[in-house]
Amino acid sequence: MAEVHIIGQITEAKDFPKENLFCKWYLQVGNNWKVISGKKEGQTQVTSPQFGKVCKWSYPIDIHLATAGLQGWPKIYLQVYHLDWLGRSHIFGYGFITVPTTPGTHILDCYTWRPFGTIKDRFVQYFLGGGYQIKNPDLIFSSGERYKLSTEAMGVVSFELCVVLRNFSNYGVEYDTSLENVTTIQSSETNVKKGTTSPILSTTAVPTTTCKANSSCFANSTNNSVTVPPTQQTTALVTTPIPASFFHFDIKTSERSSKNLCICDLTIDYCDLNCCCDKDCSLENKLVFDHCEEDFRQYDTRYCQYVKHIYVNKTPHEFQINQNGLFCIVRSNLPASYIVQRKQPLKSLQDAQFERQNKFNWPKPTHEDSQIFNYFNYTYGKPLLILRNNTIENLQFLKSFVVTSCVVKEDIKYLIDVKSSCSHTNISADNYYLKADTFFRNMTIIANPGLLNVSKHKNFLKNCTKDVCLNVRPKICNEDFEDCVQISPNDTRIKSSCKVNIANNELFCINLVQNVRYNFYHNGSSGLIKVELYLILKSATFYYHQEMEFSQTIEVNFIWWNHTLNYSSHLSGNPGYLVGKPILIANIVSINVPINNTNSTSNATSYKQQLQLYRNPSDFTENFLVLPFVNSEGVCVLSKHKYTPVEFGYNVYLRCEINDYLWIKNLSAKNVCIAVQNTIFKYWALKVTNGTLSNRVIALFGNAYIYNIGDWLRPMFENDLKDILNRTWGEFDRQNKTLKCGNITTLLITEIFHARVDFDDIINQEKILATTFQFDNFQNFTFALNHTLQFYIKLGAQVMFHDITTKKMRKLVDPPSLKIRLPHDFFYPFVKIDNHGVRQALFMNNNSIDRICKNCGDIVNRYCCRYQKRCCEYLNPSGCPTPASPEARISCRTPQFCRSSTDCPMFKQCCDTSICGATCMKPTFSGYRY
Amino acid sequence: MVVLEVFTKNIKISYKSTLLSKASVLALIFGVLSLVLPFIFAYKSKGLWLKRDTFYEQPDVKFRGEYIFVATTNNYNKSVITCSNLPHFDNVLRPLDTCSVIKVRETDRNFDGKTEELDLSLQVNLPVNTHLTSFCIIIPFNYKLQVCPLEMQTAIIFQELLPFYISKYSLVANVVVTQTSPLICHRKNTNTLFNYPVIVDNGDLNNYDINTIITNFSKRNISTSLRDVYKSFSPGKTQNFVLNLNIEFPEDRIYYKPGFWQVLKWAWIHTIFLAGD
Amino acid sequence: MNTSLTFEVLLYLNSYYFGLFAVCEIGMNVVKYMNFPDLKHFSTDFGILMAVCVIELFRVILARKGNLTERKWPVLVAIFLTIPSLAGVLYFMIWQSHALRFEYIICGIQVGLQFVEIVTGILCLLPFCKTPEYY
């Protein structure tokens, strides 16, 4: 029997998609083969390589076979499995190799494959694992109907086998013994090829360019790009009777090389001076020339040889310049080149306009079609129309521009208030604008253009109804628009006239218009309802040796027709103060309020004195913090109309003189001095009643509400007015000629502390947190006495604004705490229960708070009651009135009261400041919890 | 198991040669060059050591509430007007003071606690038929820097000649710092070298002379000046002269002498890194 | 309908999505910590995030393991683990200091995934409870 020894190993598996592989193998032999020793099948260990992707098994094979024939030569078939992380094994490949028939050492590669399912199967396989397996392993090496088996390639398993043959020669099988020591490398090609066939790069010839890169080709292309498109040529030919030869010629010149161009030739058929290239210049002409003008030729000096145009004896010559620099270009292999540049004429206007973008443009003047009258209703900013001499014009006023004199006219625009002054230099009674007539005579103001309808009445201008064309009724006032008198248009009191006094070289004019004030009462879109005109006339003397100037002020106010002037309704911001707005003040007054006794049957109503805030709506100085007005002589004036408002954010230092007098009959020296001091206070707009200023409050916010006491704040005084008045002393001298007053304060220092606060989502609202008044500059004065005391004092007033905003922090509301209380003896046997007297005292405390609150009357909740108590205290420091005044109740309840009430969503946290104010605080007393 | 690269090590290769060989000469030349060349480059490019450096900071500026306004007029009876609110000045020169209202607003636009803008409006009452021919206003203020701690008193000084009747004069300008030498910074010590008043207010008339003030002011190593000055004025004959100043305090560039460690840091970067390897 | 496959597909998606979710959440927590100074419960938020990460990790591993090896206990445990994980994700949607819109979206997706996983997990438990037949 011939014998075959197969000795070797399954070395490794490589190119598998995953690691953790093991392999089962079987030796398949024919029927006339017999295994003498060694195992016919086996299974390798699981290998998971750490480096690389090759699973090394090194599984030994040692089989001794005996055979009686060659049929059924031993084959090894394998199944490679993958062991996943869950301990499941999946088939990863089948393959077989035939044991080499030549003796010797062989390294064999076995390509493996795996059945290949449908897409759905592969989907399941990807997620759940598993897949198709071959039920009958014979299929691996049988040659039956294998086309039905679709497979995919997997990795390669390498074998190293030594085959030793024995006794084959006895059976007539010969082999070359010289091969015994030769290692053969054989690969068993299964029916499945490894992977898809790699695409062989077919070296198909790239289509060669038809145009060879030589000069002729490029010459063609340049021609194409340069010439005018033929279509355009033809159109030009059609539209204009220019002979075709012209174009031909033109093209030729543009194509022509620059050789024949002469740039300085600017006159045809004449010789240009100093233009040596001009063909019109004869040689004789050229003798005149001083030099030859340069042309704009560009020479490519990089080349070793180039042609240069040089004038020799004033005739152009072409020289070939040879450079001998080392770095000049001797030969250039670049293909012919042409310059891409814009030289095609633009085809259309659109093209031209497109090119114009981002270029310089002169602005086009725009005409405002003011002359075209439209019948639309007035809207904000539309010019106001008047009817004068049966024509419709815009109402205009004179205005200064750059200089103070009246130089321009401007339209009065609907709903835009105007206050403007300018000075007239042309002083005469004929000056149109200095006459009172100008502002009302022969003039009606059109209430609303929409009411006019030309189509209805042709003569609408003639017989304009009074509700459409409003008559202007003038009123004459004295200064500050007080004591106004209605006058008829023909009144002589408004006739202006001028007289020249030659002796004094002066011009005296009477009834020149100094101030004009139009009040237009309007009703929004439905136009004007009523027009008022106030005039202030003035007489003045002008000197011819001086420049004559007369200042005129025009004021236009648009007022809602159902409104009157009311300073109390003016806010200085909503809610916080705006910079530049005046500061709101109010006075505390006590009024008698009837108390309704519901249970009493008697008609007699009892009155109760109650404090309230009051602001006189018609007086600016009682609504806003003011300082005296300083007139041009530097004298303090403070009246209903003359004042300097303190504007939020503007620090002011104001100095002026007061010039006042007092009746001093039957007054002691000290009382006179007190009177002087009181006069000074009056100029500071500090109205002293009962020698105290405590009746004045200042608004915390720009939108402070008069009925809400929480919006107002008492100013703080360094020293009370009463003390200051008491401290003043005075004495008459012996002859009663002079009075000496001492300790009279002449400087008021107002300091306003403000901070930016947030209301929910409206941020940085200015709030006044404190106002202090200080008096300084105490001086002694000596006044001369008459029966009146004339005094003359220099006053000062300072206003300072201090921003005391600190960094804002957002604090979170504590989460609602749940307190579980066990009975105090719950742990009785384990814990000693002590006497909890302290806690009882705590509860006592709570009760007392409740009691106070109940006294206040209306209890919204316990915390609000605390406010109420505070508010009560504020109103009436002596104690809580019972029941609380309705205002106090309102102030405790309304949302304005707790300005940041939303900042305190838990009612156990509430707003708390000195006066029912703004910041959230936790209740200060401990042990008090809902 | 997962395998990570936890440590790498380069292989060191030594090339050896005898002392007197081309290789060692070459190595010596290049070694010396690589050390010396960076120093040469650093030296040729304006030195090794950092001599001055700059920082940018918006100064913390506070108006001191003081001002001096001196003006001359065409009126012989009242040819000079001086206004101030300095206490002693006021005592001495009160009769010449015809300024009635001064209005100041310091604006902090971005709420960072630093003033960005100072608006000052001054109203001067004039006698009839009088106009100013020149004026000078000095507004001292406190100036504070944080990066290089510095506190000083400096001033806005503005002088102008007025050729004709001007009723209102407006000025828009930026205040910038002017230095004659770099600042010397100490992180902990505040530089208060110039923290003295611009105007010495002691009642001595000589001290209120514009000439004295300006001469003293110009001697400071660090002071401020107005830049980007835009003026506008409206001519007219009025009894009031109104001066409006709108002064901005922008972020400023200040140069200073760097400290030891900073010099060393730059020397390190310039030299050691150039030479390094 | 192969519930096991659906479950596995969902878990596979979840395993990747959860990685994204965890990275985004941690990133956003860092962003919030840097940018919002008024974070009061930051430590709680972060702790819950870490807990959710750990729970979710175990849950996905257990569920995949149980599903692939067709054992019911890991799947059961995983389904029970879904509840704290779901609560954690809902915390990020609803109760945390500042819920960003992006968080809202990714938490919504995560909640949806987890909810579907619970349903399919229970459905796929049923065949596991049958006595296995070998053939």
Side-chain angles (χ1 to χ4, degrees), chain A residues 402 546 647 651 653 655 764, chain B residues 97 100 102-104 111 129:
Chain A
V402 183
Q546 281 178 357
E647 290 158 334
N651 305 296
Y653 189 8
R655 283 190 292 191
N764 291 333
Chain B
D97 189 345
S100 54
I102 179 166
K103 221 178 195 184
V104 178
F111 307 130
N129 283 329

Side-chain angles (χ1 to χ4, degrees), chain A residues 624-639:
Chain A
F624 300 102
L625 201 61
V626 292
L627 294 174
F629 175 77
V630 190
N631 69 9
S632 54
E633 282 91 40
V635 175
C636 303
V637 185
L638 186 70
S639 71

Side-chain angles (χ1 to χ4, degrees), chain A residues 234-251:
Chain A
T234 49
T235 48
L237 274 168
V238 169
T239 48
T240 54
I242 299 167
S245 62
F246 174 79
F247 271 97
H248 180 68
F249 173 76
D250 195 14
I251 293 159

Side-chain angles (χ1 to χ4, degrees), chain A residues 754-757 764 769 803-809, chain B residues 111:
Chain A
H754 61 98
R756 297 184 305 276
V757 293
N764 291 333
L769 298 179
D803 190 349
I804 53 167
T805 312
T806 50
K807 212 180 166 201
K808 285 174 207 159
M809 277 196 292
Chain B
F111 307 130

Side-chain angles (χ1 to χ4, degrees), chain A residues 704-719:
Chain A
Y705 185 47
I706 190 76
Y707 295 116
N708 190 354
I709 281 184
D711 283 355
W712 303 84
L713 184 69
R714 260 172 215 269
M716 292 178 270
F717 288 91
E718 187 195 33
N719 25 25

Side-chain angles (χ1 to χ4, degrees), chain A residues 101-129:
Chain A
T101 53
T102 52
T105 308
H106 306 270
I107 294 169
L108 304 169
D109 281 347
C110 172
Y111 292 88
T112 59
W113 49 271
R114 184 166 78 163
F116 184 77
T118 59
I119 286 190
K120 193 192 157 195
D121 295 332
R122 287 169 68 78
F123 184 74
V124 175
Q125 194 182 355
Y126 182 80
F127 284 107
L128 295 179

Side-chain angles (χ1 to χ4, degrees), chain B residues 138-263:
Chain B
I138 299 172
I139 305 164
F141 59 89
N142 285 347
Y143 188 98
K144 218 185 263 182
L145 291 177
Q146 270 175 351
V147 173
C148 179
L150 169 85
E151 274 178 41
M152 65 167 173
Q153 293 186 26
T154 173
I156 296 164
I157 298 178
F158 182 70
Q159 292 161 297
E160 182 71 312
L161 288 174
L162 304 175
F164 47 89
Y165 284 88
I166 302 283
S167 63
K168 193 172 161 190
Y169 193 97
S170 301
L171 176 83
V172 180
N174 288 345
V175 165
V176 291
V177 74
T178 45
Q179 284 173 277
T180 53
S181 59
L183 274 181
I184 292 163
C185 287
H186 296 287
R187 190 56 57 81
K188 279 167 193 160
N189 300 346
T190 307
N191 185 350
T192 54
L193 205 60
F194 301 104
N195 199 6
Y196 57 82
V198 176
I199 309 153
V200 184
D201 185 33
N202 56 2
D204 181 3
L205 259 182
N206 198 32
N207 285 337
Y208 305 120
D209 190 2
I210 298 293
N211 186 27
T212 320
I213 295 168
I214 289 173
T215 316
N216 288 335
F217 188 73
S218 64
K219 280 178 190 157
R220 292 166 178 243
N221 272 346
I222 177 164
S223 60
T224 53
S225 61
L226 294 182
R227 199 183 59 189
D228 307 335
V229 179
Y230 300 103
K231 310 162 185 178
S232 71
F233 40 82
S234 39
K237 240 176 153 181
T238 47
Q239 296 243 313
N240 286 326
F241 174 79
V242 178
L243 175 66
N244 284 324
L245 300 184
N246 185 304
I247 310 283
E248 287 269 340
F249 300 101
E251 196 179 63
D252 216 339
R253 180 169 185 259
I254 294 134
Y255 65 96
Y256 65 102
K257 213 179 161 109
F260 174 73
W261 292 110
Q262 199 184 355
V263 169

Side-chain angles (χ1 to χ4, degrees), chain A residues 546-613:
Chain A
Q546 281 178 357
E547 292 156 48
M548 292 195 284
E549 266 186 61
F550 185 76
S551 179
Q552 191 179 50
T553 305
I554 185 154
E555 213 177 309
V556 177
N557 299 318
F558 285 90
I559 304 164
W560 286 92
W561 70 282
N562 50 358
H563 279 216
T564 50
L565 187 68
N566 183 354
Y567 289 115
S568 308
S569 59
H570 287 213
L571 299 181
S572 293
N574 203 347
Y577 276 105
L578 298 176
V579 169
K581 289 280 186 178
I583 285 159
L584 278 65
I585 57 166
N587 287 318
I588 301 174
V589 291
S590 68
I591 52 159
N592 288 327
V593 186
I595 298 169
N596 289 344
N597 293 354
T598 48
N599 50 356
S600 71
T601 50
S602 65
N603 276 340
T605 49
S606 54
Y607 286 91
K608 199 186 79 67
Q609 215 177 41
Q610 191 196 312
L611 295 173
Q612 241 188 12
L613 296 179

